[in-house]
């Protein structure tokens, strides 16, 4: 789905009209979040959102993977495989699987880290442990009670924040904010904006840290695009964030084409994009996640550039200290129960 525009505006008639549904949805989700999850037996770090849609979870997961490996850990990412047909548990194989099998995000991440896809997260834990995992990085699932999380890092786009602050469908929140704040161990704010400063202040009252980060463009991607006029397209939670990132890196974005989150491109979509790019002599550019969904499709033109980014933290030593402390506490809790 595409996010309704009114979610990111001051409270309006649609949000008031949908408030009763949001209240019911939020109450159900909040009650579910109170359940005690099963213990994986090894540390589980969850990277999640308070809201539906994208904010930068995937780059955060990959940044944490690099950090954990530097600490000597063996990392396996656990994903539900949203958008894929396989229920799992299955380890993602980029040679065998497509985005239609396992979802675009797992397929993209599997280039850098082992990824277990499982609708039932406990089955995914067993598979991850069979791969020698010492730490599980849980991609999304913050509101899901099935599995005990040892630490939960919440990602927010600092430019957009949490919109009107209402619960779905009246707004973008997946559950009442207060209930989600209570289960948060750290906040990752991506970008230079101030839209999430109030949330950070609330967490600071609970002695929960705020970690500032920004997306840095891959040098090879930039080299392919600088000096060219581009047609940028994206089917992610916030396509405008992708377009802003391109422009912020000095890329001449002549045309933009947003699609719904996890959009499965048709031949007609690709043909129209290719024709427009050729007609106006533009270079096609998209996200790595979108390009993952295009892998193996017939009729995809050569020369589509995937604009790769990495998440860099302003204070990496602060993040390393937080993760090290959480790992120590998780293992100490399990040792004390023996």
């Amino acid at each position: 789905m595409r996010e309704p525009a009114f979610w990111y505006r001051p409270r309006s008639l649609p949000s008031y009209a949908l408030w009763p549904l949001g209240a019911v949805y939020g109450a159900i989700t909040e009650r579910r979040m109170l359940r005690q999850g099963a213990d994986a037996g090894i540390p589980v770090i969850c990277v999640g959102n308070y809201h539906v849609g994208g904010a930068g979870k995937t780059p955060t997961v990959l940044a944490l993977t690099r950090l954990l490996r530097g600490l000597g850990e063996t990392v396996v990412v656990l994903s539900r495989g949203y958008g894929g047909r396989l229920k799992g548990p299955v380890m993602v194989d980029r040679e065998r699987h497509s985005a239609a099998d396992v979802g675009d995000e797992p397929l993209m991440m599997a280039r850098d880290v082992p990824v277990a896809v499982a609708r039932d997260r406990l089955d995914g834990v067993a598979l991850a442990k069979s791969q020698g995992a010492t730490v599980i990085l849980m991609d999304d699932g913050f509101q899901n009670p099935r599995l005990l999380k040892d630490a939960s890092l919440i990602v927010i786009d600092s430019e957009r924040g949490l919109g009107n602050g209402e619960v779905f469908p009246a707004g973008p929140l997946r559950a009442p904010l207060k209930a989600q704040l209570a289960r948060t161990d750290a906040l990752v704010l991506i970008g230079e904006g101030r839209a999430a400063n109030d949330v950070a202040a609330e967490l600071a009252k609970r002695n929960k840290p705020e970690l500032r980060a920004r997306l840095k463009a891959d040098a090879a991607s930039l080299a392919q695009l600088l000096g060219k006029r581009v047609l940028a397209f994206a089917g992610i939670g916030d396509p405008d964030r992708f377009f802003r990132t391109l422009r912020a890196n000095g890329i001449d974005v002549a045309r933009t084409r947003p699609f719904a989150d996890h959009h499965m491109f048709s031949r007609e979509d690709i043909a129209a994009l290719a024709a427009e790019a050729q007609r106006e002599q533009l270079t096609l550019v998209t996200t790595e996640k979108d390009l993952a969904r295009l892998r193996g499709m017939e009729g995809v033109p050569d020369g589509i550039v995937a604009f790769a980014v990495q998440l860099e933290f302003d204070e990496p030593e602060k993040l390393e200290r937080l993760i090290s402390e959480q790992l120590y506490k998780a293992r100490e809790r399990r040792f004390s129960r023996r």
Side-chain angles (χ1 to χ4, degrees), residues 103-175:
D104 51 9
E105 291 167 353
L107 188 67
M108 188 193 92
M109 289 189 290
R111 182 189 59 196
D112 300 306
V113 59
V115 180
V117 162
R119 300 289 169 82
D120 186 321
R121 288 178 168 86
L122 291 186
D123 289 342
V125 165
L127 179 58
K129 292 169 74 172
S130 76
Q131 303 297 307
T134 61
V135 176
I136 289 174
L137 268 180
M138 192 171 172
D139 178 29
D140 211 355
F142 173 64
Q143 294 82 9
N144 188 294
R146 184 77 166 135
L147 187 61
L148 175 70
K149 294 100 174 167
D150 293 287
S152 292
L153 278 65
I154 299 301
V155 183
I156 300 180
D157 181 334
S158 68
E159 299 284 343
R160 304 179 83 207
L162 301 178
N164 63 15
E166 298 291 349
V167 177
F168 179 89
L173 294 187
R174 299 183 180 189

Side-chain angles (χ1 to χ4, degrees), residues 11-333:
R11 288 182 177 87
S12 59
L13 182 59
S15 61
Y16 283 118
L18 292 168
W19 183 88
L21 288 176
V24 172
Y25 182 90
I28 293 171
T29 306
E30 182 175 0
R31 193 174 303 117
R32 288 181 70 236
M33 290 175 68
L34 292 173
R35 297 177 192 167
Q36 183 66 36
D39 189 346
I42 60 175
V44 174
I45 299 174
C46 175
V47 178
N49 292 140
Y50 291 149
H51 60 292
V52 299
K57 288 193 307 296
T58 301
T60 304
V61 168
L62 293 175
L64 289 176
T65 295
R66 294 189 292 272
L67 170 61
L68 287 164
R69 284 174 170 167
L71 295 174
E73 303 289 348
T74 300
V75 181
V76 173
V77 171
L78 175 59
S79 172
R80 185 179 179 275
Y82 182 84
R85 64 178 180 82
L86 298 181
K87 295 181 179 180
V90 61
M91 295 301 298
V92 178
D93 183 339
R94 285 174 59 86
E95 297 301 317
R96 291 193 304 116
H97 295 137
S98 68
D101 295 324
V102 295
D104 51 9
E105 291 167 353
L107 188 67
M108 188 193 92
M109 289 189 290
R111 182 189 59 196
D112 300 306
V113 59
V115 180
V117 162
R119 300 289 169 82
D120 186 321
R121 288 178 168 86
L122 291 186
D123 289 342
V125 165
L127 179 58
K129 292 169 74 172
S130 76
Q131 303 297 307
T134 61
V135 176
I136 289 174
L137 268 180
M138 192 171 172
D139 178 29
D140 211 355
F142 173 64
Q143 294 82 9
N144 188 294
R146 184 77 166 135
L147 187 61
L148 175 70
K149 294 100 174 167
D150 293 287
S152 292
L153 278 65
I154 299 301
V155 183
I156 300 180
D157 181 334
S158 68
E159 299 284 343
R160 304 179 83 207
L162 301 178
N164 63 15
E166 298 291 349
V167 177
F168 179 89
L173 294 187
R174 299 183 180 189
L177 183 58
K178 185 176 179 180
Q180 301 195 82
L181 289 170
R183 290 160 181 77
T184 302
D185 294 288
L187 193 66
V188 178
L189 294 179
I190 298 180
E192 308 284 351
R194 301 173 58 85
N197 284 6
D198 288 348
V199 180
E202 283 298 317
L203 282 170
K205 295 175 185 176
R206 304 165 189 254
N207 295 316
K208 303 298 183 181
E210 163 196 338
L211 301 160
R212 287 273 177 178
R214 60 206 72 253
L215 294 170
K216 182 179 179 182
D218 174 71
S221 296
L222 273 179
Q224 293 182 75
L225 295 170
L226 288 176
K228 298 178 180 177
R229 298 173 68 243
V230 307
L231 190 166
F233 66 98
I236 57 176
D238 181 12
D240 286 338
R241 177 162 52 94
F242 172 61
F243 305 146
R244 289 196 305 270
T245 301
L246 290 172
R247 292 186 174 108
N249 281 277
I251 295 166
D252 184 0
V253 181
R255 296 282 185 273
T256 61
R257 294 292 177 266
F259 293 87
D261 197 12
H262 300 283
H263 177 74
M264 295 306 292
F265 293 97
S266 66
R267 292 183 183 179
E268 291 75 17
D269 290 333
I270 299 305
L273 288 166
E276 184 176 3
Q278 184 177 32
R279 185 170 60 250
E280 302 193 31
Q281 296 184 315
L282 305 176
T283 297
L284 286 168
V285 59
T286 191
T287 69
E288 290 187 293
K289 206 182 302 187
D290 286 292
L291 197 62
R293 293 199 298 281
L294 296 176
R295 288 178 79 238
M297 274 185 61
E298 292 183 12
V300 176
D302 295 331
I304 298 179
V305 178
F307 188 73
V309 293
Q310 275 195 358
L311 191 67
E312 292 192 348
F313 285 83
D314 292 357
E315 299 177 278
E317 67 286 348
K318 183 177 178 181
L319 174 65
E320 181 173 340
R321 186 166 59 249
L322 169 71
I323 296 300
S324 297
E325 289 173 356
Q326 294 294 341
L327 291 177
Y328 176 80
K329 290 177 182 177
R331 287 170 174 144
E332 186 179 45
R333 282 194 297 269

